[in-house]
Amino acid sequence: MGQSAYYRLGYGDLFPATDPLGTSLGSGVVALQDSARITLHNPAALQGINLVHFGVGLGSEFRSTDAALTNNTRLEQFFLAFPVGSDVGVSFGAKAVADFETQYQSTNASTSLAEKTDGGIWDYNLGIGYDLSETLKLGLKFHTYQGLLRREYALVVDDATEVYVIKGNISGKALEFAMLTNFGDKVSLGLTANIPYDRPNMTGQDSLGGSTAFTEFDEELAAWPTTINLGVVYHYSKFTNLLAGIGQEVFPENGFENSRVFALPDGWHTVPVASFQIAVQRLPLDRTSRSLSKRIGFQSGVSIRNYYLVPSSDNMMFEYALLTGLNVGLRNGKSIFDISGELGSRGGEESLPEELYARVKFGIQINDTWFRKVKRR
């Protein structure tokens, strides 16, 4: 088995967050706005920026079972954000939202089956945030999903090998509605709702390797979810925030019923995903200080969520995780470096192993002061 056994089910591994800050704070990050950095989790927060920002994120994931230790490292996000006047902010970006990469092999006395799947789905997005009033900000983000999948089966029977290939492209669209509001000086609340209006669809070919025979197919990812996140930030002090977040992913009932490429094992079905995180964030004491320790911020928290698929026994599988993160800015305010760690476990089921996982993410944000000429007297 290569990568995670869970990657073989449904739409593979669906990413709840892909950058260090969001990973270490959970859904509560949708209520966070920071004038020194970009938080893309809520487009309503874009209206507060006053510089052009560019960022990129990398992720590395380790999974351990009784049978193996696997690793997957990938580019997970990049973006560009800039102000338009004093009340509007705009962002362009892309992030990974699903990963299909798996390897599987089964053998008996006279036959063997090897399966290898590559590919995934990326979300290319355009966001806009508007400052409606002193206490209410609104946001809208357009998402277009683009991806590919290639799955190869090699069947060996009595030394005769037959290769079967499925490959295709995936595309779809969604709209995300968002708001951010303040209740006095102490409490901020954020809400986002990502609603697919054109669920991803896969078009491709089935073929026998080594031959010209193939058939065209068209399959809708009918179970693609609607995602809602609610976050609350309590500004405990000038440098300390307490965050709580609730996430909900709603999967259409019987969405996998007519699936072929993404068919589930007999008896498996989707359930709504609920997640809850609490975290503490400590902001840097002075982002322009000569002292490195004063330019460091950090956060930590805990997370619990259930898996979006369950077997015929209806035994739900849960993920429990410890979250942590650290960021440091250059003294000149031109860059922020982020790193986060997530250590957790995913509950096993009778046909799937229990997994321990560790996710490490690295990110950097730079702003346009790098490219401004310094006036010298």
Side-chain angles (χ1 to χ4, degrees):
M1 180 73 66
Q3 305 306 331
S4 169
Y6 295 82
Y7 283 31
R8 295 188 68 237
L9 298 174
Y11 301 143
D13 192 38
L14 298 177
F15 295 82
T18 56
D19 74 304
L21 186 69
T23 297
S24 55
L25 291 178
S27 298
V29 74
V30 302
L32 186 67
Q33 187 173 28
D34 188 340
S35 60
R37 64 180 303 144
I38 296 299
T39 55
L40 296 176
H41 310 86
N42 186 337
L46 291 170
Q47 57 76 35
I49 62 177
N50 53 19
L51 298 171
V52 178
H53 294 259
F54 171 78
V56 64
L58 302 173
S60 187
E61 179 182 63
F62 298 86
R63 292 183 180 268
S64 174
T65 65
D66 291 339
L69 173 65
T70 61
N71 170 252
N72 192 10
T73 301
R74 59 212 160 200
L75 173 69
E76 292 193 345
Q77 184 183 59
F78 58 88
F79 70 86
L80 174 70
F82 54 89
V84 179
S86 59
D87 296 328
V88 177
V90 176
S91 70
F92 297 92
K95 63 177 183 177
V97 293
D99 192 346
F100 304 140
E101 185 176 351
T102 57
Q103 296 183 33
Y104 173 81
Q105 187 166 352
S106 175
T107 60
N108 57 34
S110 60
T111 64
S112 69
L113 173 66
E115 174 190 320
K116 182 180 180 182
T117 304
D118 296 300
I121 301 176
W122 275 70
D123 170 5
Y124 298 87
N125 52 76
L126 166 64
I128 183 170
Y130 176 66
D131 188 357
L132 186 66
S133 68
E134 289 185 2
T135 59
L136 182 61
K137 286 79 176 174
L138 300 178
L140 181 68
K141 186 178 287 187
F142 171 75
H143 301 263
T144 178
Y145 301 112
Q146 298 293 326
L148 56 87
L149 178 143
R150 186 182 191 278
R151 180 171 294 158
E152 179 180 299
Y153 301 92
L155 178 64
V156 179
V157 180
D158 297 328
D159 297 327
T161 302
E162 188 173 76
V163 178
Y164 182 67
V165 178
I166 298 174
K167 58 183 178 180
N169 297 315
I170 300 169
S171 63
K173 297 180 178 67
L175 277 177
E176 181 178 354
F177 302 91
M179 56 83 67
L180 182 64
T181 187
N182 299 318
F183 297 93
D185 297 328
K186 286 293 188 180
V187 178
S188 299
L189 185 146
L191 176 67
T192 64
N194 183 311
I195 303 172
Y197 66 90
D198 179 15
R199 281 194 162 83
N201 195 77
M202 181 176 177
T203 57
Q205 298 178 344
D206 294 2
S207 66
L208 289 174
S211 75
T212 59
F214 66 86
T215 59
E216 303 281 352
F217 71 87
D218 191 306
E219 179 174 319
E220 182 185 27
L221 279 65
W224 195 261
T226 293
T227 303
I228 301 170
N229 288 305
L230 173 67
V232 178
V233 177
Y234 177 67
H235 305 282
Y236 179 78
S237 68
K238 182 179 180 181
F239 299 108
T240 303
N241 292 325
L242 307 178
L243 296 90
I246 299 174
Q248 183 80 46
E249 294 176 73
V250 182
F251 294 80
E253 189 176 359
N254 302 319
F256 285 99
E257 193 171 68
N258 299 316
S259 296
R260 179 185 171 194
V261 176
F262 297 101
L264 297 177
D266 290 341
W268 285 71
H269 57 93
T270 60
V271 291
V273 173
S275 64
F276 176 69
Q277 302 87 27
I278 55 174
V280 178
Q281 181 189 33
R282 182 68 175 175
L283 299 173
L285 297 177
D286 185 351
R287 298 181 191 271
T288 61
S289 172
R290 290 179 178 272
S291 171
L292 177 63
S293 62
K294 291 184 178 181
R295 289 186 276 117
I296 291 177
F298 58 89
Q299 54 273 343
S300 62
V302 294
S303 172
I304 179 173
R305 70 194 303 265
N306 66 284
Y307 191 54
Y308 73 101
L309 298 173
V310 297
S312 56
S313 64
D314 287 330
N315 292 329
M316 295 182 67
M317 291 171 282
F318 291 90
E319 295 181 5
Y320 305 91
L322 298 175
L323 314 174
T324 186
L326 182 145
N327 59 82
V328 58
L330 294 185
R331 182 188 164 202
N332 55 22
K334 296 180 178 181
S335 304
I336 296 177
F337 298 89
D338 287 284
I339 183 172
S340 72
E342 180 180 359
L343 180 63
S345 67
R346 176 179 286 171
E349 192 271 339
E350 57 265 23
S351 59
L352 287 171
E354 181 177 359
E355 289 186 337
L356 298 177
Y357 63 85
R359 299 183 179 118
V360 180
K361 298 180 186 288
F362 304 90
I364 180 174
Q365 291 190 20
I366 64 174
N367 60 57
D368 63 354
T369 56
W370 276 106
F371 309 105
R372 295 180 181 177
K373 292 183 178 180
V374 178
K375 294 182 179 180
R376 301 184 183 276
R377 296 180 180 178

